[in-house]
Amino acid sequence: MTRASNRPPVVPPEAALPSYLRAGYTLRSWLLTTDHKRIAILYLVSISFFFLIGAIAAALIRLELLTPAGDLLTNDGYNRAFSIHGIIMVWFFLIPSIPNTFGNFLIPLMIGARDLAFPRLNLLSWYIYVVAGLITLYVVLSGGVDTGWTFYTPLSSVYANGAVVAAILAVFISGFSSILTGLNFIVTVHKLRAPGMTWGRLPLFVWSHYATSIIFVLATPVLAITLLLVAAERLFGIGVFDPALGGDPLLFQHLFWFYSHPAVYIMILPALGVISELITSAAHKRIFGYWFVAYASIAIAVIGFFVWGHHMFVSGQSYYASAIFSFLSIAVAVPSAIKVYNWTATLYKGDIELNAPLLYAMGFIGLFVAGGLTGLMLAMLAIDVHVHDTYFVVAHFHYIMVGGTVTAFFGAMHYWWPKITGRLYPEAWARASALVILVGFNVTFFPLFLLGYEGMPRRYHVYPESFQVLQVISSCGALLLAAGYLLPVAYLGWSLFRGAKAPANPWGATGLEWTTSSPPPKHNFIEQPVVERGPYDYPISDPLSRSND
Amino acid sequence: MSIAVRRLLLAWIGLIALLALTVGLAFLPLGAAKPAAAYLIATAKAALVLWYFMELRREGGLPRLAAGAGFVWLSVLLVLTAADFLSRN
């Protein structure tokens, strides 16, 4: 955070108003708030809680895998541990993680609006999420489910024990929260942009959330209907997916992955938006190829709907369909690669400050590239047949979802922490935690590529002794990763009370969110901002000015 | 009865007539043409709902684009799933 020290402290007029944190002190003022910033905080607290539950399930899995024998959990217990881990991490952490916290907090600020288009709908989406989360907690406390997070039929609809219907209901309800958020973002971006905030001046964070919202709105209803059909088959014996009842199990996989593959892009697109902001701010340089990066988000969202069949290469899907899906899956790598090339080109000859957010961003790029390239391998039919349902796949998607999304989440947390809380965090600790997370992540998940390539199937807890060394390395890495995740909790918590007061624009960044006070007042700006420059018009003469004369 | 209500009523009667047509076609020996005819009628029904009940006839380009996107996305699901189902053997 040295940019601020080079500049005279400029105080925006909004600093005279009470911040959104001081707009009310009662529990009621938080639980009935329609302020997008407070709702973002409510989401942050909720998803952190669910991250903890999902992490405990992960810890059980990694402890069990320390030895080749199944000596900690029973077969059924292990199935339930990875099912709960998957269900909670996907629907109750990763999907809402960046959109519902940083998206909620930042989109109105970035486009110069007072709030989202539908503030009460925004609060409703949080309550829906909470109801879904409480049902999930009931599922956990009642013994869980053993279907995996994918609820494959006819296992889920006929044979599985446990609270399957309750788990389905939780995911079904959480979908409405996603739909409302997506709808709110789309309408907000269309209708509430400040004067001068043309589409070509939208921050790339907003573009990526716009693309994410399209997926939220178009894909989530398909999941809802699919899960209802599973419940109908399980509860009433209506044959949809069970072959014994005249159904088709592959139909479930088509419907499920039509949502769930785009859902991967729900998880990663907001992260890509975060990285664009972090890179440009740290390099103090205009993004290389703004329109390419912006349209790449839309392209990922659109092409992402055409690739779901690569999850079904060995499920009995026709070779013809598999060949089509293989080609389309390879095509989706193009817009992802555009982003990576453009970020690195942005860093080239930049006025780079190697701060913690940039460390997270560079870690993200490495891990995202590793996850993306192994995704290309999996998109190829011949390789996929070899490594399908092995640890290779587990490693691949963890590189995207954890190495990608969670790393970007932490990067965003550091970058916007001064804006959200009004406090500066200790930079040295933050850099250390970024490195610990990067090392811990790779020690945990890289061995899984090797395990998978050598043939260890996923979802097994008893395995040949020859795999033990790599499993132990992975479990040790998980311990390091956990320490890396806990470190920021400690020093960010400390900074809430003891950290230095943050100026309005500690990074000397260009976004509109940096032109108001830290933390912002309830309605963000005293006067309606009028935008007169592009989103990354570096170098800026005055960090609090909206023009760049 | 106002013109708006009469219009909705006519659209509803149109939907019921198309439903009767679907049921009637199910009993005819059309062979491979039967699913195609059923999809055609279903598309006509969806168009009636979009145009009259969802009031798209009175909306501008953006809401029509949004509704059309939903339609296109559904067709992506159906077409690519059919690509598997029809070529499975």
Side-chain angles (χ1 to χ4, degrees):
Chain A
M1 296 199 167
T2 53
R3 303 267 189 208
S5 61
N6 298 335
R7 300 171 184 280
V10 187
V11 181
E14 286 83 359
L17 298 174
S19 78
Y20 77 98
L21 293 170
R22 298 179 186 280
Y25 294 95
T26 61
L27 188 61
R28 181 189 163 89
S29 75
W30 279 90
L31 294 181
L32 295 180
T33 183
T34 52
D35 183 343
H36 64 103
K37 299 181 288 300
R38 284 195 164 205
I39 294 171
I41 301 294
L42 292 175
Y43 263 113
L44 181 62
V45 172
S46 317
I47 65 166
S48 301
F49 171 74
F50 281 104
F51 184 79
L52 182 67
I53 305 277
I56 290 170
L60 281 175
I61 294 167
R62 288 296 354 147
L63 276 174
E64 168 61 65
L65 292 169
L66 275 172
T67 60
D71 40 17
L72 178 67
L73 297 168
T74 61
N75 296 350
D76 195 41
Y78 186 77
N79 290 345
R80 286 165 195 255
F82 71 67
S83 299
I84 284 297
H85 170 69
I87 290 169
I88 287 184
M89 286 304 201
V90 169
W91 280 295
F92 295 92
F93 177 73
L94 286 166
I95 285 181
S97 61
I98 295 176
N100 287 104
T101 54
F102 298 106
N104 244 335
F105 195 98
L106 292 166
I107 288 176
L109 284 164
M110 285 181 163
I111 65 170
R114 287 161 62 94
D115 207 314
L116 288 173
F118 305 117
R120 277 180 285 189
L121 213 56
N122 196 18
L123 182 64
L124 178 65
S125 88
W126 180 71
Y127 275 105
I128 290 173
Y129 172 85
V130 169
V131 169
L134 289 174
I135 297 173
T136 306
L137 283 184
Y138 161 77
V139 172
V140 174
L141 295 174
S142 65
V145 288
D146 58 356
T147 58
W149 76 276
T150 51
F151 296 109
Y152 265 26
T153 57
L155 172 64
S156 62
S157 62
V158 179
Y159 303 108
N161 297 311
V164 177
V165 174
I168 283 173
L169 184 67
V171 175
F172 175 80
I173 292 173
S174 78
F176 287 92
S177 168
S178 301
I179 294 170
L180 295 184
T181 299
L183 194 68
N184 221 341
F185 285 176
I186 290 174
V187 177
T188 302
V189 173
H190 275 276
K191 295 290 183 188
L192 298 187
R193 298 195 311 276
M197 179 60 81
T198 58
W199 286 89
R201 287 177 177 170
L202 274 183
L204 291 162
F205 179 89
V206 179
W207 270 105
S208 69
H209 276 75
Y210 184 79
T212 307
S213 301
I214 291 173
I215 307 177
F216 267 144
V217 172
L218 288 173
T220 316
V222 177
L223 176 74
I225 291 165
T226 309
L227 293 178
L228 274 188
L229 289 172
V230 173
E233 188 165 279
R234 186 176 174 89
L235 292 174
F236 309 116
I238 299 169
V240 182
F241 306 122
D242 180 10
L245 297 170
D248 182 350
L250 276 192
L251 175 63
F252 171 83
Q253 295 184 30
H254 277 297
L255 294 171
F256 179 81
W257 289 114
F258 182 78
Y259 161 81
S260 290
H261 194 79
V264 172
Y265 299 111
I266 290 176
M267 299 176 215
I268 199 67
L269 270 168
L272 303 179
V274 166
I275 300 305
S276 293
E277 301 299 323
L278 267 50
I279 292 277
T280 47
S281 171
H284 252 51
K285 191 162 163 256
R286 194 175 296 197
I287 189 96
F288 181 85
Y290 171 86
W291 283 110
F292 276 90
V293 181
Y295 282 138
S297 292
I298 304 295
I300 290 171
V302 172
I303 301 171
F305 272 98
F306 291 76
V307 304
W308 78 84
H310 66 232
H311 293 273
M312 301 163 58
F313 285 162
V314 298
S315 298
Q317 179 179 249
S318 75
Y319 291 129
Y320 172 70
S322 293
I324 293 174
F325 281 119
S326 175
F327 169 75
L328 292 168
S329 302
I330 292 167
V332 81
V334 175
S336 309
I338 286 174
K339 283 181 181 280
V340 172
Y341 285 126
N342 286 28
W343 291 328
T344 46
T346 304
L347 286 171
Y348 180 64
K349 289 190 176 175
D351 175 19
I352 292 174
E353 182 183 9
L354 202 64
N355 49 38
L358 182 64
L359 285 180
Y360 278 107
M362 292 204 298
F364 172 96
I365 292 175
L367 299 175
F368 179 66
V369 166
L373 288 177
T374 49
L376 273 179
M377 292 169 72
L378 288 167
M380 296 181 194
L381 275 166
I383 298 178
D384 186 78
V385 170
H386 176 56
V387 293
H388 197 93
D389 263 346
T390 70
Y391 267 75
F392 192 89
V393 178
V394 176
H396 153 69
F397 71 73
H398 278 87
Y399 263 75
I400 296 291
M401 293 178 183
V402 185
T405 305
V406 179
T407 303
F409 182 84
F410 274 93
M413 183 66 81
H414 286 82
Y415 182 61
W416 283 292
W417 183 258
K419 185 54 59 184
I420 294 170
T421 64
R423 300 284 179 163
L424 299 176
Y425 62 79
E427 184 64 32
W429 280 103
R431 289 181 193 181
S433 84
L435 292 175
V436 172
I437 287 174
L438 185 65
V439 173
F441 176 86
N442 280 301
V443 176
T444 307
F445 291 103
F446 192 79
L448 305 191
F449 280 125
L450 306 177
L451 279 169
Y453 205 78
E454 287 176 9
M456 172 146 184
R458 62 193 288 200
R459 296 180 176 138
Y460 280 62
H461 70 134
V462 178
Y463 58 86
E465 284 184 7
S466 56
F467 293 139
Q468 189 177 10
V469 172
L470 289 170
Q471 289 286 13
V472 170
I473 291 173
S474 175
S475 292
C476 293
L479 199 63
L480 194 60
L481 187 60
Y485 287 157
L486 285 173
L487 258 177
V489 175
Y491 65 73
L492 291 178
W494 173 88
S495 86
L496 268 182
F497 304 99
R498 299 288 180 88
K501 291 250 168 80
N505 190 357
W507 307 109
T510 52
L512 271 189
E513 76 270 30
W514 302 109
T515 65
T516 187
S517 51
S518 300
K522 186 175 181 185
H523 293 301
N524 300 342
F525 305 98
I526 289 179
E527 286 183 14
Q528 170 70 66
V530 178
V531 182
E532 296 174 356
R533 65 168 185 232
Y536 310 107
D537 230 353
Y538 290 104
I540 49 175
S541 52
D542 174 1
L544 290 185
S545 167
R546 282 147 199 160
S547 68
N548 200 14
D549 301 327
Chain B
M1 189 184 292
S2 70
I3 294 173
V5 174
R6 194 182 307 158
R7 191 178 287 131
L8 288 179
L9 199 62
L10 281 173
W12 181 74
I13 291 169
L15 284 173
I16 296 296
L18 287 169
L19 175 65
L21 194 61
T22 310
V23 175
L25 279 178
F27 292 99
L28 293 179
L30 294 177
K34 196 184 276 186
Y39 285 130
L40 201 66
I41 296 170
T43 308
K45 283 187 211 164
L48 277 177
V49 171
L50 286 166
W51 204 245
Y52 290 103
F53 291 102
M54 290 173 67
E55 300 278 5
L56 278 183
R57 66 199 170 83
R58 287 204 283 200
E59 295 294 344
L62 200 59
R64 285 185 188 181
L65 185 71
F71 218 57
V72 169
W73 255 244
L74 187 64
S75 67
V76 169
L77 172 65
L78 295 176
V79 167
L80 284 175
T81 303
D84 163 40
F85 186 75
L86 297 175
S87 61
R88 224 175 262 176
N89 296 315

